[in-house]
Amino acid sequence: MNVSGWVVGFVLLVSWLWAPLLLADTAALYQQYCAECHHPDRLGAIGPALIPQNLHRLRKKQAIEVISHGRPATQMAPFADRLSPAQIAALADYIYTPLARMPVWGMKEMRANHRILHPPGSLPARPTFKADMDNLFVVVELGDHHFTLLDGDTFTPIGRFPTRFAVHGGPKWAEGGRFVYFLSRDGWVSKFDVWNLTWVAEIRAGINARNLAVSDDGRWVMVANYLPHDLVLLDARDLSPARIIDAKGEQGTSSRVSAVYAAPPRHSFIAALKDTPEVWEIRYADGHGRPLARDKMPLRRLRLKGVLDDFFLTQDYRTILGSTRGGGAQVIDLDSGRDIARLDLPGLPHLSSAITWARNGTRVLATPNIRKPEIAIIDTATWKVIKRIPTPGPGFFMRSHENTPYAWSDVFFGPHRDLMLVIDKQALKIVKTLRPAPGKTSAHVEFTRDGRYALVSIWDMDGALVVYDAKTLKEVKRIPMKKPSGKYNVHNKLTRSEGTSH
Ligand code: HEC
């Protein structure tokens, strides 16, 4: 070995010896400066969880920026005056390092993180304000972790309320519109009483959660978790934890749970596993609709050919469509558990945002695609793709309404993120392209109860909710909001309008 070889070898040896020391240093820094708000094991407390799964949407560069300069108007203080750039960079590396062990989050942890603010029955059982209670919207504002309750007749906010950090997975309306259940990325489930305009209960049901579903009888809430690997059943009345179902495949594989949905006509929850090719059906009532006890709910496994990334349940809840990794999608009959068709859908169809409508005596399904600039239209009688509509970029959300001739789709990815596409549902053609706020992402449409107005989000800190006349396609109102993401109309959600997701 020559001299430079020795030098390189020496440097490598020193850095190898130093690495654990540096890591230990960083862990100590974390405990000293961060643990009190973000939890000693990084699971989150006053501040959000700081683990790679939860930091999915935050780039490391942004994390360094946050640690250095803080987040204005929050408890996240700047650390640039106390820590060196190298220490801050090391902390950023540290929080993107996976946890060494699966975090424990059982009944004990849930009970310790459960708060009942207003016990069931303690608040008036009638609305405390005047509005068409059947045309309200919940609008999630991710920008500063709030939601706005919007009057869907007048498009005026009824109130604006703080939520947990990073609400996602779609809040769910329940019990005729009296309650809404929210879920946050970090696993917090919060129950809001719309009639009394107040939060009534909350619980932390997991560390990294995907979405939640509410049973049609209003008795149960089920949460799908990535961390830990489980489904959590909550008593809907006060969110007390009722049961934990470990997500273990038939072969014993521990798995994340991608999503859970309620299937009202079947009185069941349907959940897809992310790391093993299984879909589960968990019944909460028997064939006559009689409720089952929490520990008597049978779990049925459907074995699939591939893992489902994302799925769609048809309006009759007989069929499930799931996109599979590596492209394509399978159509599965829920009763027999059989694979009945394959969909020719390259890329990654975003099936959980697919919609259906009647056309030429059949029912068609339209899905955006996260990886491909096209909207595919499928005949649900034959499961054949009958049209591929090219778009200016991949999309994320598609929506329509029974009373409107158009389907709307965003262009969520790429340079044309500021466009909204309006598609004629019979001609299967883009008839208008809107640009509500040039340069800013426009996304996620939802209709008013009667389908006369379409509400679009300008997904920006300095954003807005833009209301369009769904017939003339003219703007009628613009309400400033902070990064509004999803919006949810009580009537369309509770009646399971086929123009929206559930
Ligand atoms: C006094 C409490 C507190 C302390 C101490 C604290 N944080 Fe935070 N941190 C927060 C809060 C609250 C937020 C959420 C801010 C918001 O609403 O955007 C946050 C947000 C963050 C985020 C952004 C997370 C995301 O998903 O957007 C990062 C990264 C972060 N903190 C890292 C750190 C690190 C590293 C330390 C230690 C050097 C630290 N924090 C110390 C309270 C704290």
Side-chain angles (χ1 to χ4, degrees):
M1 207 185 278
N2 58 24
V3 175
S4 64
W6 281 109
V7 170
V8 169
F10 182 71
V11 168
L12 281 176
L13 179 72
V14 168
S15 50
W16 177 75
L17 285 172
W18 265 99
L21 286 178
L22 276 178
L23 202 64
D25 268 4
T26 311
L29 278 181
Y30 177 87
Q31 294 305 328
Q32 185 180 347
Y33 291 104
C34 324
E36 114 186 64
C37 290
H38 291 282
H39 189 269
D41 294 328
R42 298 192 274 141
L43 302 183
I46 303 166
L50 297 179
I51 52 179
Q53 289 90 344
N54 297 44
L55 293 169
H56 191 60
R57 292 226 166 72
L58 189 80
R59 280 185 300 259
K60 205 183 268 184
K61 233 176 77 192
Q62 296 169 299
I64 290 175
E65 178 68 27
V66 176
I67 304 167
S68 307
H69 306 297
R71 281 244 174 91
T74 77
Q75 295 196 64
M76 181 60 202
F79 284 89
D81 53 348
R82 276 168 284 173
L83 300 170
S84 72
Q87 284 174 317
I88 288 173
L91 276 168
D93 282 338
Y94 181 72
I95 62 177
Y96 285 88
T97 311
L99 294 176
R101 276 174 278 110
M102 175 70 74
V104 175
W105 203 260
M107 283 292 177
K108 190 173 130 238
E109 288 74 15
M110 281 195 257
R111 289 199 182 108
N113 287 277
H114 179 209
R115 286 199 308 154
I116 300 173
L117 305 160
H118 298 283
S122 65
L123 293 173
R126 66 192 130 68
T128 52
F129 58 94
K130 278 215 162 53
D132 176 357
M133 300 306 287
D134 214 18
N135 195 24
L136 300 177
F137 284 86
V138 155
V139 187
V140 173
E141 291 182 67
L142 280 182
D144 63 348
H145 314 291
H146 277 69
F147 87 88
T148 290
L149 186 70
L150 189 77
D151 182 323
D153 288 353
T154 59
F155 304 117
T156 44
I158 293 160
R160 193 169 188 269
F161 307 89
T163 66
R164 282 277 167 183
F165 186 88
V167 159
H168 77 173
K172 295 289 185 302
W173 286 93
E175 291 182 55
R178 173 162 181 193
F179 296 109
V180 186
Y181 298 90
F182 293 76
L183 176 74
S184 84
R185 182 195 76 184
D186 291 358
W188 284 98
V189 179
S190 317
K191 179 175 182 177
F192 189 81
D193 182 334
V194 174
W195 292 359
N196 292 288
L197 298 176
T198 185
W199 296 104
V200 290
E202 71 169 359
I203 188 168
R204 191 167 184 199
I207 302 299
N208 182 269
R210 295 289 295 170
N211 78 335
L212 64 74
V214 184
S215 62
D216 66 303
D217 59 10
R219 289 164 53 100
W220 305 107
V221 173
M222 192 170 274
V223 181
N225 281 324
Y226 265 10
L227 280 180
H229 292 175
D230 63 19
L231 282 155
V232 173
L233 184 73
L234 305 172
D235 184 324
R237 285 170 301 181
D238 60 4
L239 298 182
S240 53
R243 187 177 160 189
I244 297 173
I245 303 170
D246 281 328
K248 271 213 170 56
E250 224 168 6
Q251 314 296 333
T253 321
S254 178
S255 174
R256 292 168 291 173
V257 185
S258 306
V260 61
Y261 294 101
R266 308 175 69 91
H267 307 301
S268 64
F269 290 113
I270 312 274
L273 302 194
K274 179 96 176 161
D275 305 301
T276 191
E278 286 177 35
V279 161
W280 288 1
E281 176 164 32
I282 299 150
R283 275 186 198 275
Y284 49 77
D286 67 13
H288 307 286
R290 281 185 298 248
L292 295 167
R294 66 180 80 174
D295 48 354
K296 296 265 166 18
M297 298 180 183
L299 188 158
R300 184 175 151 240
R301 292 169 195 266
L302 279 75
R303 296 153 198 97
L304 314 178
K305 297 220 177 78
V307 170
L308 295 194
D309 259 339
D310 170 39
F311 68 90
F312 174 83
L313 289 159
T314 50
Q315 282 295 110
D316 57 8
Y317 293 90
R318 292 226 178 105
T319 330
I320 168 168
L321 275 65
S323 51
T324 33
R325 244 166 274 174
Q330 17 183 345
V331 184
I332 301 139
D333 179 83
L334 263 179
D335 285 324
S336 69
R338 254 193 231 117
D339 215 340
I340 52 174
R342 293 251 138 192
L343 296 177
D344 178 20
L345 295 175
L348 187 60
H350 191 215
L351 288 170
S352 54
S353 146
I355 54 172
T356 59
W357 64 81
R359 179 178 179 271
N360 291 352
T362 181
R363 183 146 252 105
V364 295
L365 177 138
T367 176
N369 198 307
I370 296 174
R371 301 239 175 90
K372 241 180 112 70
E374 72 168 37
I375 287 163
I377 313 284
I378 293 140
D379 183 339
T380 60
T382 61
W383 300 116
K384 293 267 180 291
V385 177
I386 56 168
K387 178 106 191 209
R388 296 178 198 275
I389 306 173
T391 59
F396 203 73
F397 295 108
M398 239 188 126
R399 293 287 189 264
S400 187
H401 188 281
E402 284 76 357
N403 297 345
T404 180
Y406 306 122
W408 296 50
S409 177
D410 54 33
V411 182
F412 203 73
F413 306 95
H416 302 294
R417 283 183 304 228
D418 54 357
L419 301 181
M420 275 314 299
L421 311 173
V422 183
I423 295 156
D424 184 308
K425 294 201 289 193
Q426 300 308 315
L428 306 183
K429 269 204 214 104
I430 297 175
V431 289
K432 180 125 189 165
T433 299
L434 303 166
R435 181 178 269 141
K440 292 181 179 173
T441 304
S442 66
H444 194 283
V445 175
E446 181 91 26
F447 289 82
T448 46
R449 172 195 171 165
D450 55 11
R452 280 184 59 195
Y453 298 95
L455 281 61
V456 177
S457 292
I458 305 303
W459 205 297
D460 194 272
M461 217 31 199
D462 187 13
L465 199 71
V466 185
V467 183
Y468 284 94
D469 182 311
K471 208 170 183 175
T472 64
L473 308 179
K474 292 260 176 332
E475 179 176 332
V476 296
K477 188 161 183 183
R478 195 170 278 239
I479 311 159
M481 288 198 186
K482 292 211 163 73
K483 211 183 215 183
S485 54
K487 60 205 76 64
Y488 308 83
N489 179 272
V490 56
H491 175 86
N492 296 342
K493 292 296 182 188
L494 287 180
T495 58
R496 291 181 277 131
S497 157
E498 65 177 333
T500 188
S501 65
H502 302 288

